[in-house]
Amino acid sequence: MQLKLISFVLIILHCMDYTGCQQHSTSRHWQHKPEISGVSSGCQQGGCLTCSDYNGCLSCKPRYFMHLERIGMKQIGVCMTSCPPGFYGTRSRERNTCTKCSPECDSCFNKKFCMRCQIGFYLHRGDCRESCPEDMVRSDTQRECVPIAECPADCELCENSEMCTICQPGLYQLNGRCHRICPDDYEPNDKLMECVPQVHCQVAEWSEWSPCSRSGRTCGFKRGQETRTRKVLQYPPPFGRPCPEISEIKDCVVTRRTCPGQRPNDRKQRRNRNNRKETKEVRREKKRERERARDTGDRQDVRNKTEHRRRRGHDPDPFSPEDGLVQ
């Protein structure tokens, strides 16, 4: 009799555990259960029909799907109007459940029919495959096997009739089109056989103008030159825009000042030495001119004396009729 009474009490307690959960429990586990979007947090909310303090929903209202979510080491039952991505819903008289798709499926209609594949797989007739049939090509954007389109004449392999992936030999691909000569601001890449953006020369800002100098000195002159430079940040490839000038020179005028360690009269002494050299040259030139003039005068005197003798009859040569005619 006592054994039957104990069994009856256990049955009552078990029923209270499953049917009395409509009253909010003060259990620490249920109070700290993470709140999940679209999941009922108690039997009075969402589609949960019966629940447990520890396992969440145990059964759902009609048209709701039971979905088990893993939180840490335990699973929490939640009731949802539709299954999350990667799961598909199955209905039965007892309960509606969410079942996981095959690993290569991103979403599916049932266990054997995928609607979208994971990255690296391609959909073909509800099946996710790593490679497509011979008469089809892979589409990375759609993750599907699509029919081979009639490629343009200059295209060797294409994704569709307007998107070329590999061009004929000697042509370069750019944005799905083939080019014999790349457009402006692009240059050919013979390794990839593609038109890639050109890289132009890049230079830094100009430096400040240097101090006025002349022959490496900054003193002892009045007119000199100033320079400024800029660095090359990016040298261009063969097809890139060449670099502009990286140095500039301009004339400058400063107040003449004596260089350190130089005496003020050194410049005058050098000027005097230069003047003396010039004076010696001038004297030599004048002497040569006088000698040339003296030689010319001597020759003229000889001529004059000869003519004078001839006129006075002292010329030893006999008088010729031609001379008389000339006179």
Side-chain angles (χ1 to χ4, degrees):
M1 182 68 182
Q2 292 179 353
L3 182 61
K4 292 183 178 180
L5 182 60
I6 293 173
S7 300
F8 181 73
V9 172
L10 291 175
I11 293 173
I12 292 175
L13 293 175
H14 182 73
C15 293
M16 290 178 64
D17 182 43
Y18 283 87
T19 59
C21 61
Q22 293 181 357
Q23 299 178 356
H24 292 286
S25 175
T26 59
S27 173
R28 180 178 299 177
H29 293 290
W30 186 253
Q31 288 178 354
H32 291 83
K33 183 178 76 67
E35 184 177 353
I36 303 172
S37 177
V39 177
S40 61
S41 59
C43 293
Q44 294 180 349
Q45 299 180 8
C48 187
L49 184 62
T50 59
C51 61
S52 169
D53 292 344
Y54 188 79
N55 297 111
C57 293
L58 300 176
S59 62
C60 300
K61 295 178 181 180
R63 299 184 179 180
Y64 281 80
F65 293 93
M66 171 65 70
H67 177 57
L68 297 178
E69 290 189 353
R70 181 175 295 277
I71 301 178
M73 297 298 295
K74 67 177 182 179
Q75 287 184 335
I76 300 296
V78 294
C79 296
M80 312 176 70
T81 56
S82 61
C83 295
F87 292 82
Y88 66 94
T90 57
R91 297 182 184 273
S92 65
R93 291 183 179 181
E94 292 78 14
R95 63 191 309 182
N96 303 329
T97 58
C98 291
T99 307
K100 189 172 180 59
C101 300
S102 57
E104 64 272 11
C105 284
D106 190 23
S107 63
C108 59
F109 181 75
N110 56 40
K111 189 70 174 178
K112 296 183 179 181
F113 194 93
C114 293
M115 293 186 294
R116 183 172 175 81
C117 299
Q118 297 283 357
I119 297 177
F121 292 87
Y122 303 92
L123 183 65
H124 177 61
R125 296 181 180 179
D127 184 25
C128 289
R129 311 170 56 166
E130 291 184 327
S131 59
C132 295
E134 294 182 358
D135 58 341
M136 308 189 79
V137 293
R138 296 175 298 182
S139 174
D140 292 327
T141 57
Q142 302 176 15
R143 300 182 195 172
E144 296 180 3
C145 295
V146 297
I148 298 177
E150 184 177 352
C151 298
D154 53 3
C155 187
E156 185 172 337
L157 183 63
C158 61
E159 187 171 323
N160 51 52
S161 59
E162 296 181 355
M163 182 64 66
C164 186
T165 55
I166 300 179
C167 298
Q168 295 287 348
L171 301 180
Y172 302 93
Q173 191 267 134
L174 175 64
N175 298 330
R177 298 184 179 275
C178 298
H179 301 267
R180 189 170 301 277
I181 299 177
C182 292
D184 294 339
D185 296 329
Y186 289 88
E187 63 181 57
N189 187 314
D190 294 330
K191 183 178 295 185
L192 301 176
M193 293 308 294
E194 295 179 358
C195 293
V196 297
Q198 284 185 348
V199 179
H200 301 299
C201 179
Q202 298 180 12
V203 294
E205 296 294 331
W206 286 106
S207 65
E208 297 293 333
W209 287 101
S210 66
C212 191
S213 62
R214 181 176 179 180
S215 300
R217 296 181 300 134
T218 58
C219 59
F221 63 90
K222 184 177 181 180
R223 298 181 181 276
Q225 290 181 332
E226 295 179 353
T227 60
R228 67 175 182 175
T229 60
R230 53 183 174 181
K231 295 182 178 180
V232 177
L233 302 178
Q234 174 68 56
Y235 285 95
F239 293 93
R241 189 178 300 117
C243 293
E245 294 293 336
I246 59 174
S247 63
E248 285 185 349
I249 300 175
K250 70 175 183 178
D251 296 331
C252 56
V253 178
V254 294
T255 303
R256 179 178 293 172
R257 61 187 180 87
T258 304
C259 293
Q262 181 182 9
R263 290 178 297 178
N265 59 351
D266 287 349
R267 190 182 302 107
K268 294 182 180 179
Q269 292 177 358
R270 288 196 300 272
R271 189 183 301 115
N272 293 335
R273 285 197 296 269
N274 294 335
N275 292 338
R276 286 196 294 270
K277 291 180 181 179
E278 294 178 358
T279 303
K280 290 180 180 179
E281 293 293 335
V282 171
R283 289 176 180 173
R284 292 194 189 96
E285 184 64 27
K286 289 182 178 180
K287 184 177 180 180
R288 284 193 291 269
E289 290 180 357
R290 286 196 300 270
E291 290 176 353
R292 286 194 296 269
R294 188 181 301 111
D295 293 341
T296 303
D298 292 343
R299 287 193 296 270
Q300 186 66 30
D301 290 341
V302 171
R303 258 191 239 102
N304 292 338
K305 289 179 180 179
T306 303
E307 183 67 24
H308 184 66
R309 288 194 196 100
R310 215 176 350 209
R311 290 180 179 178
R312 296 182 60 182
H314 297 288
D315 191 353
D317 295 335
F319 181 80
S320 62
E322 295 180 10
D323 293 339
L325 293 174
V326 172
Q327 293 177 0

